[in-house]
Amino acid sequence: MRAAYYEQTGDPQVIQYGDRPDPEPQANEVVVKVEAVAVNPIDTYIRAGAIAMDLPMPYIPGCDLAGTVAAVGSGVTRYREGDRVWGSNQGLFGKQGTFAELAAVHEDWLYPIPDGVPTEQAAAGALVAITAALGLTFHAELKAGETLFINGGSGGVGSVVVQMAKAIGATVITTAGSDDKIEYCKSIGADHVLNYHDSDLDDQLQKLADEHNKLDFWWETLRTPDIARTIPFMAKRGRVIVMAGREAELQFPLGPFYVNDLRLIGFAMFNATPEEQQQVATRINKFYEQDQLRIPIGKELPLKDAALAHQLQENKTLQGEADFHGKIILKP
């Protein structure tokens, strides 16, 4: 099979493209004929060595995939040849990744693609949708009628949080940094969109929070969140999600936090068990089936351009530089 791989960590140019051995399905594994993969920031962190992992070299990167089952190993009960599937959590903890024509995946980490959902959508949504669904439904149990604020509603995870929260029945307030992105957030259902460049942003947010009896849920996407700023906006028993900022060290006023029964919740999707991810994947598929979830795809490239895709993702994540909006998809 043809695959993108590297033999040492480093800059995007360490990624090669060439022949690798076809995978054989082990017990409880299926071999997926990969039709699309998504590029995620974590892929670039692992490649750069910023996240230390014991990688099997030569290493095929990539967490997400969508495609068709080409072969099944012994003990497989959920899938058979020809089934369309999507999944994430590959390329981690000693597993080879998905940037290849074929990938061997344990059946516990795969989910059926609903009828009518394009393969590219299923791949693009894998990691970001599981992340959003874990936070909203598993960790913090967002309910209909609640008010949610997400700091950055046009990004990969942010845009999915907006759509899922609306599907659940919440009022959604978010921010974006340009007129185009503000319009995009409105187009996917956000009730109120503020420009985070505005000098009176907090005043605008406070007015909206007061109109809705404060915020029940704050989803923070920034790598350097200001929890002290967040607390005054929150309703009693409000929940604050953090999902980024490995190096951040936070300070916040403890008194207003605990006397209002607030909760600060941190999580990483890769800590969720297969059973937990199966539960949220079922919910995600229902969102797809009811046309309540669409993942923005900003760029499609052939798999041989994996190094370029990593460079583009790195520029977008670390420098905020991108001439496109949405996920980067690679196709073998």
Side-chain angles (χ1 to χ4, degrees):
M1 69 176 183
R2 304 287 280 175
Y5 64 94
Y6 51 86
E7 299 177 276
Q8 62 182 21
T9 57
D11 63 27
Q13 282 62 50
V14 300
I15 300 177
Q16 305 175 54
Y17 181 73
D19 292 326
R20 299 298 305 148
D22 289 358
E24 294 290 335
Q26 303 302 306
N28 301 113
E29 286 185 342
V30 305
V31 172
V32 179
K33 181 181 178 182
V34 179
E35 296 169 14
V37 300
V39 184
N40 293 290
I42 191 170
D43 303 331
T44 67
Y45 302 154
I46 293 171
R47 187 220 68 240
I51 295 178
M53 284 194 181
D54 186 15
L55 304 177
M57 296 294 187
Y59 170 69
I60 298 171
C63 294
D64 299 345
L65 84 164
T68 304
V69 174
V72 299
S74 61
V76 171
T77 59
R78 293 177 177 165
Y79 302 105
R80 58 186 180 182
E81 290 183 28
D83 287 347
R84 300 174 69 227
V85 293
W86 66 275
S88 188
N89 276 74
Q90 303 309 301
L92 303 168
F93 311 117
K95 295 183 290 187
Q96 291 285 3
T98 60
F99 285 21
E101 293 177 326
L102 299 169
V105 182
H106 194 289
E107 66 172 340
D108 286 354
W109 296 108
L110 289 171
Y111 323 108
I113 298 177
D115 291 343
V117 175
T119 302
E120 296 82 0
Q121 276 284 299
L127 184 147
V128 292
I130 289 175
T131 299
L134 282 169
L136 290 176
T137 67
F138 182 79
H139 286 289
E141 299 177 333
L142 180 69
K143 300 177 181 63
E146 291 191 311
T147 300
L148 172 145
F149 172 77
I150 175 158
N151 206 1
S154 66
V157 173
S159 61
V160 180
V161 170
V162 169
Q163 294 176 75
M164 287 187 181
K166 287 306 299 177
I168 290 168
T171 296
V172 176
I173 305 168
T174 190
T175 59
S178 68
D179 290 343
D180 288 347
K181 290 181 178 179
I182 287 171
E183 288 306 313
Y184 170 71
C185 290
K186 291 178 180 177
S187 76
I188 59 174
D191 297 284
H192 307 281
V193 188
L194 307 177
N195 190 320
Y196 58 69
H197 294 299
D198 288 350
S199 59
D200 63 342
L201 172 62
D202 280 10
D203 292 336
Q204 295 180 53
L205 181 55
Q206 187 64 66
K207 181 179 179 182
L208 289 172
D210 290 342
E211 289 175 3
H212 295 281
N213 297 314
K214 296 199 171 184
L215 307 176
D216 301 293
F217 198 130
W218 181 296
W219 187 300
E220 183 58 75
T221 62
L222 298 181
R223 289 185 292 168
T224 55
D226 184 352
I227 302 301
R229 170 193 175 223
T230 300
I231 291 173
F233 296 107
M234 302 303 295
K236 282 185 170 56
R237 301 197 174 181
R239 294 90 79 202
V240 180
I241 286 272
V242 291
M243 48 156 279
R246 290 172 179 266
E247 307 302 321
E249 295 186 8
L250 307 182
Q251 292 183 341
F252 63 91
L254 185 61
F257 183 83
Y258 82 81
V259 299
N260 285 294
D261 292 3
L262 300 182
R263 283 188 283 161
L264 179 62
I265 303 166
F267 79 99
M269 69 160 289
F270 308 110
N271 295 331
T273 66
E275 294 76 18
E276 290 165 351
Q277 296 207 28
Q278 286 280 348
Q279 289 178 5
V280 298
T282 298
R283 190 79 181 268
I284 291 164
N285 278 346
K286 289 181 180 177
F287 290 139
Y288 279 133
E289 290 167 349
Q290 295 167 4
D291 198 25
Q292 295 172 318
L293 178 61
R294 296 192 180 188
I295 311 300
I297 296 174
K299 197 170 285 290
E300 291 189 15
L301 298 169
L303 183 59
K304 65 182 179 63
D305 289 340
L308 171 61
H310 265 230
Q311 185 66 68
L312 292 171
Q313 183 65 60
E314 213 163 67
N315 293 347
K316 184 179 181 184
T317 306
L318 300 181
Q319 281 80 46
E321 299 173 356
D323 61 356
F324 62 93
H325 172 251
K327 300 289 292 183
I328 302 172
I329 296 298
L330 297 173
K331 302 179 75 171

